[in-house]
């Protein structure tokens, strides 16, 4: 086989990567984990954690491994799901690279530790990460926007919001999650009525949290339901 033929085969070859959009609520803000790339392309530019899938490695395993290597976060302790695949021909200057993006949600996540090919890793408010002042590598801005919309939609139809809350939690704790993810204030009384009437969403523990001022607040844990019924729609919340 000639060198030209080999080059053509390599040009046609597909490479697969995984990228992770990780959300948590810190300081009452929805924040995402970004790394500063240590290698070309986009050296020194902020990006989502991720990397190449190894031969014989599953996508989920690759996502968990890359998250651990680049940030020190254990992905198996998060809500982790595939978002979608991104495969624009020019999305990666290294060649034909398709990435499978993941959405990850969790609470109490530690300060990340950069490793392998990441110069640094840090939690950044999502609003700042998507502002015009921040440049993200590859097509990671589009992935982050898609992940944000997926997270917002999941709060309408599933009970995943409780994944942001360490148990036991109050209804106010849960409301703060919705407000952070949806980036909008919610009426406390209306929210309480809806979440306490939703089938299997939250379960009272019989315990209370006593604030410095005000009445003790009932504490809850996550129920068994995965689907939020009736749904809690953004337009009427």
């Amino acid at each position: 086989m000639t060198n030209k033929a080999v080059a053509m085969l390599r040009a046609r070859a597909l490479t697969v990567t995984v990228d992770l959009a990780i959300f948590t609520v810190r300081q009452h803000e929805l924040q995402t984990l970004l790394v500063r790339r240590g290698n070309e392309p986009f050296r020194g530019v902020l990006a989502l954690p991720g990397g190449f899938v190894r031969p014989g490695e599953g996508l989920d395993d690759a996502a968990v491994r890359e998250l651990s290597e680049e940030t020190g976060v254990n992905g198996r302790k998060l809500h982790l799901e595939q978002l979608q695949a991104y495969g624009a021909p020019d999305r990666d200057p290294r060649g034909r690279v398709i990435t499978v993006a993941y959405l990850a949600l969790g609470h109490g996540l530690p300060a990340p530790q950069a490793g392998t090919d990441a110069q640094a890793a840090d939690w950044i408010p999502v609003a700042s990460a998507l502002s015009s002042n921040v440049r993200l590598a590859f097509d990671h801005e589009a992935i982050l926007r898609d992940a944000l919309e997926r997270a917002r939609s999941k709060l309408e139809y599933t009970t995943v919001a409780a994944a942001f809350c360490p148990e036991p939690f109050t209804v106010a704790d849960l409301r703060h999650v919705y407000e952070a993810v949806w980036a909008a204030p919610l009426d406390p009384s209306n929210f309480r009525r809806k979440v306490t009437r939703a089938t299997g969403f939250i379960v009272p523990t019989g315990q209370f949290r006593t604030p410095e001022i005000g009445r003790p607040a009932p504490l809850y844990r996550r129920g068994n339901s995965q689907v939020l019924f009736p749904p809690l729609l953004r337009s009427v919340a």
Side-chain angles (χ1 to χ4, degrees):
M1 185 177 293
T2 65
N3 290 337
K4 182 178 180 180
V6 171
M8 291 178 63
L9 285 174
R10 288 178 177 173
R12 294 174 183 171
L14 292 177
T15 303
V16 180
T17 61
V18 291
D19 289 304
L20 297 103
I22 309 157
F23 295 134
T24 194
V25 176
R26 295 167 64 91
Q27 301 173 344
H28 305 294
E29 286 185 296
L30 184 67
Q31 300 198 12
T32 190
L33 185 56
L34 296 180
V35 300
R36 192 168 298 279
R37 287 181 56 80
N39 298 325
E40 296 292 351
F42 299 106
R43 179 180 173 86
V45 178
L46 291 173
L48 298 174
F52 290 100
V53 178
R54 293 172 177 172
E57 185 177 42
L59 292 172
D60 291 357
D61 290 337
V64 171
R65 175 183 55 76
E66 283 290 342
L67 182 57
S68 175
E69 288 180 355
E70 292 201 359
T71 67
V73 173
N74 184 353
R76 300 195 186 280
K77 295 184 177 180
L78 307 179
H79 170 90
L80 188 66
E81 65 176 72
Q82 286 188 16
L83 179 62
Q84 68 180 66
Y86 296 79
D90 59 349
R91 64 170 302 276
D92 192 318
R94 293 170 293 191
R96 192 73 168 95
V97 179
I98 293 176
T99 195
V100 178
Y102 279 77
L103 169 67
L105 309 173
H107 68 82
L109 300 181
Q113 301 296 320
T116 63
D117 59 351
Q119 291 181 354
D122 202 2
W123 293 105
I124 296 178
V126 173
S128 298
L130 293 176
S131 71
S132 59
N133 297 326
V134 174
R135 176 197 179 199
L136 298 183
F138 306 104
D139 51 0
H140 288 185
E141 179 181 343
I143 295 175
L144 186 59
R145 290 187 184 279
D146 289 345
L148 176 59
E149 181 54 34
R150 170 74 68 85
R152 287 174 169 172
S153 296
K154 289 186 74 69
L155 263 61
E156 293 183 287
Y157 297 101
T158 77
T159 60
V160 75
F164 288 101
C165 295
E167 295 183 339
F169 54 84
T170 67
V171 170
D173 293 334
L174 189 62
R175 175 169 51 84
H176 293 327
V177 169
Y178 274 85
E179 291 176 332
V181 176
W182 286 352
L186 300 176
D187 178 76
S189 297
N190 190 38
F191 180 82
R192 172 179 290 277
R193 176 178 57 82
K194 290 183 177 181
V195 300
T196 54
R197 292 182 179 179
T199 304
F201 186 8
I202 57 175
V203 178
T205 65
Q207 299 175 318
F208 293 82
R209 180 187 299 166
T210 303
E212 294 183 2
I213 301 176
R215 295 181 299 176
L219 291 170
Y220 296 84
R221 61 175 175 81
R222 186 174 184 177
N224 295 326
S225 178
Q226 301 295 317
V227 177
L228 188 55
F229 182 81
L232 185 60
L233 303 179
R234 280 173 277 178
S235 59
V236 296

